[in-house]
Amino acid sequence: FNTQEVITNARDSLDFLAALALPAVFKYFFPPVFQAIWSWMLSFVHKTRDFSQLAIGLPRGFGKTMLIKIFILYVIIFTRKQFILIVCGTQTKANNIIADIVGMLNESNIKKVFGDWKLGTETDRQDLKKFGFRGRNIILMGAGAQSDIRGITLENVRPDIMIFDDIQTREDADSDVVSEKLETWMVGTAMYAKSPFGCTFIFIANMYPTKWSILRQLKTNPTWIKFITGGILENGESLWERKK
């Protein structure tokens, strides 16, 4: 492929982008349900002055965080989003996601095709990356659940994409007090930090078997758009069966 063909294929194919950014990790094509979730997310992330709230439910161990990491890479490369805020159960988990995204940006395939993100680096911390890349200034920030992010503004910019990845633990879901406090913080504090010009919200989690599961609450909330699925198909096979 020439450079333009690689760019086009990476933009149009989840599998191609994953193979390009993770050549040592990518071994199997993503199954149809992941392709559907991918296309579904992309249908929202390019909208302007949009505040869509997306809730994704997948079982533990099915690679949902990996999908989100590749999605964030896509956002950095192919959208006009500027401030990506990643919220996890702990600061350490958020930092780890940022580190993995930076690892993909540092992949030689990505650098050869899209350029070296480090050339425009202004801030390079574990929890915060600020850099100029592909014609715009990008902020990639990680935070732990219930941290102090009220009114967060960097470079006079507020988050225009927020990702909440497994902010509720199984133990949290057993407590109505803890779960209510966490959901109140998410909706009443974190989400209020959004850009006034539009923000895509993505909540991704497990469906815990308690009535205090946040994903279970969002499932019946009409303000959230949902894509929730189990892990076993009707024929008894796994949702992502290993292909020989």
Side-chain angles (χ1 to χ4, degrees), residues 3 9 17 28 35 46 56-57 74 76 80 83 91 104 109 121 130 145 154 158 162 165 176 182 191 201 240:
T3 299
N9 287 333
L17 179 59
Y28 306 107
Q35 299 287 353
H46 289 286
I56 301 171
Y74 176 98
I76 292 171
R80 302 309 302 169
F83 191 158
Q91 183 68 58
M104 290 189 283
N109 292 334
T121 300
K130 294 163 63 177
L154 296 174
R158 286 175 174 262
M162 289 192 201
D165 181 28
D176 59 337
L182 182 57
M191 292 176 64
F201 302 96
W240 192 345

Side-chain angles (χ1 to χ4, degrees), residues 153-169:
T153 303
L154 296 174
E155 304 287 346
N156 297 313
V157 177
R158 286 175 174 262
D160 52 9
I161 183 164
M162 289 192 201
I163 295 174
F164 301 92
D165 181 28
D166 276 338
I167 65 170
Q168 183 185 41
T169 66

